[in-house]
Amino acid sequence: MNKQDIPDIIISRLPIYLRALRHMQAGGKLTTSSQELGAGVGLSAAQIRKDLSQFGEFGKQGTGYDIAFLVDQLRKILRVERVWDVVVVGMGDMGHALSRYQGFSDRGFRVAMVFDNDPAKIGGQVEQFVVLDAKEIVTAIRKSGIKVAMLCVPEAAAQGVTNLLVEAGIKAILNYAPISLSVPTGIRVQYLDPSIGLQRMTYYLE
Amino acid sequence: MNKQDIPDIIISRLPIYLRALRHMQAGGKLTTSSQELGAGVGLSAAQIRKDLSQFGEFGKQGTGYDIAFLVDQLRKILRVERVWDVVVVGMGDMGHALSRYQGFSDRGFRVAMVFDNDPAKIGGQVEQFVVLDAKEIVTAIRKSGIKVAMLCVPEAAAQGVTNLLVEAGIKAILNYAPISLSVPTGIRVQYLDPSIGLQRMTYYLE
DNA sequence: TAGATTGTTAATCGATTAACAATC
DNA sequence: TAGATTGTTAATCGATTAACAATC
């Protein structure tokens, strides 16, 4: 079961399954089926079973899946049974919102450090964090060993900051800036540009 | 050229192309090639050409694409040559950040109304907007004719608010809440749950 | 002209679905 | 047992890539 053997498109669905399963769990459900989970996330039952079969046999014929067990398995597969420290770069409104977001803690993440390059913000407080000088990105992140970053700087600064994050040892970047980033092989980027999300829908509007 | 003839996976790449082209434009470039654009967004030249060929012939052999012209064409295809009014529901940190976001205006969007259900926030001011009572979602949105919403409410409220948005005539929802929404056929949803973005990358981390 | 690059066709590759034996 | 549902195989479907004639 080599990492690169499994298509990324399957990996990208697992967090969706995990989210839906935890939702069921919060509702007091104990078991589910590929049919029911598929309906919950808008995919076919066959697809759910095929995806899960890449990693093991998690269900029982006749009864389906034990939700708590499957949640555990998915958390291990996705490596979020542990907690990842994350840095936030850019203390504008978006960076601010992410620094205060309560949803990370039980999904495997914890904001550990925040940066900005504005002298008016450096040294100030955001939530429980002291805003660090962006000049310290490389040294501070290297020292901490943190591998995950959220990028919330303006477009014009995004590629430059990305280069620093890579130099600092960051391996995964959640990018809110409206720009395609250029990164070396082995560095992963996920894009959350809100305008892109909207433009993916307007095509279909009357 | 029927809407449903063109695969959604192609539509979903067009905003990325548009973003990259405008970036080139801002840098003063006048023409580009499928090779160069592909390199900019991390896709093959063949894919770029194939995607664009679904909508017309926009390039010239030997010289490539006129950037300004291609930008115009993509804006028309995606229907963002006009400006779409958008509502924001949920005036927490995220809704607040989106209400103040400067990036929408030249990408085809304009926040026109914001809602919350917290009496402490209703009637208050966020940026230039007066926060409206969530109870008025259906009537206010119906009256306005707005078709696009951004959803920034807590998980527990998301499906209920979604039902109201659908009732109000909303056809496209950008969802920041950590939940798979259930919507009728014809309503489009794009998901921007930050935890999902992060969990899609941790699988690959050492 | 010579070099570059398009739009398109056919070939390849990969993902999804349907079907079903196994079995809880 | 009978009904339900898994995991898996083979078939289908769809997307990407390679190649190249056309032509700027």
Side-chain angles (χ1 to χ4, degrees):
Chain A
M1 189 188 87
N2 201 316
K3 298 249 158 185
Q4 74 221 64
D5 292 346
I6 295 179
D8 183 63
I9 194 161
I10 293 183
I11 301 304
S12 75
R13 284 191 291 259
L14 300 185
I16 312 284
Y17 301 165
L18 177 56
R19 184 174 65 183
L21 289 163
R22 297 200 65 175
H23 188 72
M24 292 176 181
Q25 216 175 13
K29 277 186 71 71
L30 297 175
T31 62
T32 189
S33 64
S34 57
Q35 177 68 49
E36 185 180 52
L37 179 55
V41 301
L43 297 171
S44 72
Q47 176 130 85
I48 304 279
R49 295 203 299 280
K50 193 92 206 291
D51 284 356
L52 295 178
S53 76
Q54 297 282 329
F55 304 94
E57 309 192 357
F58 304 126
K60 271 220 259 293
Q61 284 103 326
T63 57
Y65 302 91
D66 180 282
I67 293 176
F69 175 72
L70 189 49
V71 162
D72 262 14
Q73 295 300 310
L74 286 173
R75 291 178 77 220
K76 275 178 192 139
I77 292 165
L78 291 170
R79 315 206 54 209
V80 290
E81 84 283 18
R82 51 166 284 187
V83 173
W84 295 87
D85 278 350
V86 175
V87 305
V88 181
V89 187
M91 281 298 107
D93 288 318
M94 187 59 66
H96 194 259
L98 289 171
S99 304
R100 291 165 45 93
Y101 185 55
Q102 298 302 303
F104 290 133
S105 63
D106 70 342
R107 293 181 178 90
F109 305 98
R110 186 185 73 128
V111 174
M113 257 181 218
V114 309
F115 295 91
D116 204 287
N117 71 349
D118 179 352
K121 290 178 180 163
I122 294 165
Q125 195 96 6
V126 170
E127 201 67 352
Q128 73 269 43
F129 312 105
V130 174
V131 179
L132 302 178
D133 189 333
K135 283 179 192 140
E136 293 165 38
I137 283 179
V138 175
T139 50
I141 295 178
R142 271 239 181 96
K143 194 171 159 194
S144 70
I146 293 173
K147 299 297 173 204
V148 182
M150 300 197 281
L151 185 60
C152 311
V153 302
E155 179 185 356
Q159 184 62 57
V161 171
T162 296
N163 298 347
L164 294 177
L165 292 172
V166 170
E167 195 187 334
I170 289 291
K171 301 292 184 198
I173 299 172
L174 192 69
N175 178 31
Y176 283 83
I179 180 176
S180 286
L181 296 176
S182 166
V183 292
T185 314
I187 311 293
R188 311 206 67 95
V189 181
Q190 287 282 316
Y191 293 88
L192 294 185
D193 179 344
S195 303
I196 298 283
L198 293 173
Q199 292 182 345
R200 281 176 172 165
M201 301 190 284
T202 46
Y203 172 80
Y204 299 98
L205 297 181
E206 305 290 298
Chain B
M1 189 187 88
N2 202 314
K3 298 251 157 186
Q4 75 221 64
D5 292 345
I6 295 179
D8 183 63
I9 194 160
I10 292 182
I11 302 304
S12 75
R13 283 191 291 259
L14 299 186
I16 312 284
Y17 301 164
L18 177 54
R19 183 174 66 183
L21 288 163
R22 298 199 65 175
H23 188 73
M24 292 177 184
Q25 216 173 15
K29 275 186 73 70
L30 296 177
T31 63
T32 188
S33 63
S34 58
Q35 177 68 48
E36 185 180 52
L37 179 54
V41 301
L43 297 171
S44 73
Q47 175 129 86
I48 304 279
R49 294 202 302 277
K50 193 91 202 292
D51 285 355
L52 295 178
S53 75
Q54 298 283 327
F55 304 94
E57 308 192 356
F58 305 126
K60 271 220 259 296
Q61 287 102 325
T63 58
Y65 302 90
D66 179 282
I67 293 176
F69 176 73
L70 188 50
V71 162
D72 262 13
Q73 295 300 309
L74 286 173
R75 291 178 78 220
K76 275 178 192 139
I77 293 165
L78 292 170
R79 313 203 57 208
V80 290
E81 84 283 20
R82 50 166 285 187
V83 174
W84 295 87
D85 278 351
V86 175
V87 305
V88 181
V89 187
M91 281 297 108
D93 288 318
M94 188 60 66
H96 195 260
L98 290 171
S99 304
R100 291 164 44 91
Y101 185 56
Q102 297 303 303
F104 290 133
S105 63
D106 70 342
R107 293 180 179 90
F109 305 98
R110 187 185 72 129
V111 174
M113 259 182 218
V114 310
F115 296 91
D116 202 289
N117 70 350
D118 179 353
K121 289 179 182 163
I122 295 165
Q125 194 96 8
V126 168
E127 200 69 352
Q128 74 268 44
F129 313 105
V130 174
V131 180
L132 301 178
D133 190 333
K135 282 177 192 141
E136 293 166 37
I137 283 177
V138 176
T139 51
I141 295 178
R142 270 237 181 97
K143 195 171 158 196
S144 71
I146 293 173
K147 299 298 173 203
V148 182
M150 300 197 279
L151 185 60
C152 311
V153 303
E155 179 184 355
Q159 185 61 58
V161 171
T162 296
N163 298 346
L164 295 176
L165 292 172
V166 170
E167 196 187 335
I170 290 289
K171 301 293 183 198
I173 300 172
L174 192 69
N175 178 32
Y176 284 82
I179 180 175
S180 285
L181 296 176
S182 166
V183 292
T185 315
I187 311 294
R188 313 205 66 96
V189 182
Q190 286 281 317
Y191 293 88
L192 294 185
D193 179 343
S195 302
I196 298 283
L198 293 173
Q199 291 181 346
R200 281 176 171 164
M201 299 190 285
T202 46
Y203 172 80
Y204 298 98
L205 296 182
E206 305 290 298

